[in-house]
Amino acid sequence: MKYRYFLFLALLEFALGIGIGLYSLSLGKFNVFIVALLFIVFMGAIINVVLYRYFKKVITESEADEND
């Protein structure tokens, strides 16, 4: 059950990246720092989705093994 926090964190990071991107776009101030920050935030979101899927698979497999 605790692995769902990875999905929640991924959604928050994705929303943060969209918010930063739209705010920078509205100001017209895209620079290397903003692009690097967006890259880090979106990579973090992708990593959290991968971790969510991994732990979900591990936990469901362990529960299936216990039921056998």
Side-chain angles (χ1 to χ4, degrees), residues 9-55:
L9 189 59
L11 291 173
L12 285 177
E13 286 180 343
F14 186 71
L16 178 69
I18 294 294
I20 291 172
L22 290 176
Y23 182 72
S24 297
L25 186 64
S26 69
L27 291 179
K29 292 186 177 182
F30 266 108
N31 55 19
V32 175
F33 177 73
I34 297 295
V35 172
L37 182 68
L38 289 174
F39 178 76
I40 290 169
V41 168
F42 286 128
M43 286 303 295
I46 291 169
I47 289 170
N48 278 315
V49 169
V50 169
L51 287 173
Y52 166 75
R53 293 178 54 90
Y54 172 74
F55 283 115

